Amino acid sequence: MNWGALDRYVKSLIKEAGHHIKHSFFTEIEISSKSSANDLVTNIDREIEQFFIERIRRDFPDHRIMGEEGFGDDIRSLDGIIWFLDPIDGTMNFVHQKRNFAISLGIYIDGIGMLGYVYDVMADDLYSAMKDEGAFLNDIRLPNLKETTIEQAIIGVNASWIAPNRYVDNAPMIDLVTKCRGTRSYGSAALELTHVAAGRVDAYMSMRLSPWDVAGGMIIAHEAGAISSTMSGVRPSLLHQETFIVANASIHTQLLEEFIVLKK
């Protein structure tokens, strides 16, 4: 596979999709919910996923696709080349704010991340990475992350995980919020991963994310020097929904050992 040529192809495709999304603001957006009233989907999510899949299947018929809206393939293994696509990560932000959402795309071969992209559509910021080549913002290389401490760190975490919940013991999480420098929540896992890669926040965690939420951003964050894992400390499987944490390498282990206690 010529990964350099594929990289150029994907960047062009993403920018074209972003143009379609911006144009959608001048049309009527149809909004519905999926698993809950807060799990929103729009006709634009579906149209953008279909746009990508049409092009990928036309130009790379031997590649497989896992997309959030279900128009891709039934992925049961990581064999071969797989595109993990979230056409609009942060749909609630897209609907309510018209900003703070992104196109997220990761391309893997036999489970190894080769190309990662997160496109902040409204800011026109394209984060990208190729395996062993570094992480980039608008084709300018991001510096490697510097070491930090919990006391100096800004942690990306949703407030719902600090309140009592069925996934994680919230008492150590309260301790983390008390000890760290500050917390942030942006409503888009893909963008949160780019914030870690760019050093704007030092860690991001969630109790349930799907492969398309993190596949692209994981590659970018890794190339900047961050570590991604499940809350159990193992590599995400990319086959189903899991707990997830990405963090500056200097605090990743400490976060897992001192502040995250999963409920059985």
Side-chain angles (χ1 to χ4, degrees):
M1 189 74 212
N2 184 334
W3 297 106
L6 184 57
D7 174 59
R8 292 188 292 274
Y9 171 92
V10 174
K11 286 175 178 173
S12 174
L13 198 62
I14 286 173
K15 286 299 184 81
E16 188 175 347
H19 175 76
H20 289 322
I21 293 173
K22 287 178 181 177
H23 181 72
S24 75
F25 292 143
F26 300 99
T27 66
E28 178 135 3
I29 298 174
E30 301 166 10
I31 306 165
S32 56
S33 58
K34 295 188 284 189
S35 62
S36 71
N38 295 329
D39 186 10
L40 302 181
V41 64
T42 72
N43 58 311
I44 310 303
D45 294 76
R46 296 187 176 106
E47 288 169 16
I48 296 300
E49 180 162 314
Q50 289 171 320
F51 163 79
F52 272 99
I53 288 174
E54 234 174 68
R55 293 292 187 87
I56 297 164
R57 285 183 171 156
R58 182 192 72 188
D59 297 329
F60 303 98
D62 56 332
H63 294 188
R64 295 187 295 156
I65 308 146
M66 180 188 282
E68 178 176 13
E69 307 312 330
F71 297 107
D73 301 294
D74 182 16
I75 304 295
R76 303 292 181 90
S77 79
L78 298 180
D79 298 339
I81 296 178
I82 302 174
W83 300 51
F84 293 89
L85 170 68
D86 193 337
I88 299 180
D89 185 68
T91 299
M92 188 179 294
N93 292 346
F94 171 70
V95 169
H96 287 274
Q97 302 174 345
K98 303 294 188 288
R99 65 189 67 216
N100 296 322
F101 62 88
I103 297 171
S104 177
L105 179 63
I107 302 178
Y108 287 66
I109 181 167
D110 297 329
I112 298 170
M114 299 301 297
L115 297 170
Y117 307 88
V118 173
Y119 182 41
D120 184 336
V121 176
M122 302 312 292
D124 194 26
D125 282 337
L126 177 56
Y127 298 83
S128 63
M130 185 184 299
K131 186 178 184 297
D132 300 328
E133 297 293 333
F136 295 81
L137 169 55
N138 297 327
D139 293 326
I140 299 172
R141 184 164 184 156
L142 293 171
N144 287 340
L145 297 175
K146 296 178 181 178
E147 289 189 5
T148 190
T149 64
I150 295 296
E151 290 73 19
Q152 296 173 315
I154 295 177
I155 307 295
V157 60
N158 188 304
S160 60
W161 310 130
I162 311 304
N165 64 88
R166 61 193 176 98
Y167 296 100
V168 65
D169 186 348
N170 69 310
M173 296 290 281
I174 293 171
D175 187 31
L176 172 62
V177 169
T178 303
K179 286 184 176 177
C180 74
R181 181 163 282 174
T183 62
R184 299 291 184 273
S185 181
Y186 296 94
S188 163
L191 288 179
E192 305 259 17
L193 278 154
T194 66
H195 292 322
V196 174
R200 300 187 195 104
V201 300
D202 301 289
Y204 165 67
M205 61 184 74
S206 179
M207 302 308 142
R208 43 190 175 89
L209 289 176
S210 298
W212 49 77
D213 294 316
V214 300
M218 270 204 307
I219 299 171
I220 299 166
H222 174 76
E223 288 296 321
I227 296 176
S228 301
S229 74
T230 69
M231 296 291 194
S232 301
V234 300
R235 181 182 175 187
S237 71
L238 292 177
L239 291 174
H240 49 78
Q241 196 175 77
E242 296 172 283
T243 60
F244 182 79
I245 180 171
V246 58
N248 184 304
S250 58
I251 60 171
H252 179 266
T253 299
Q254 185 181 1
L255 286 169
L256 288 177
E257 292 181 351
E258 296 183 19
F259 301 104
I260 296 171
V261 180
L262 294 174
K263 292 181 177 178
K264 302 300 182 184

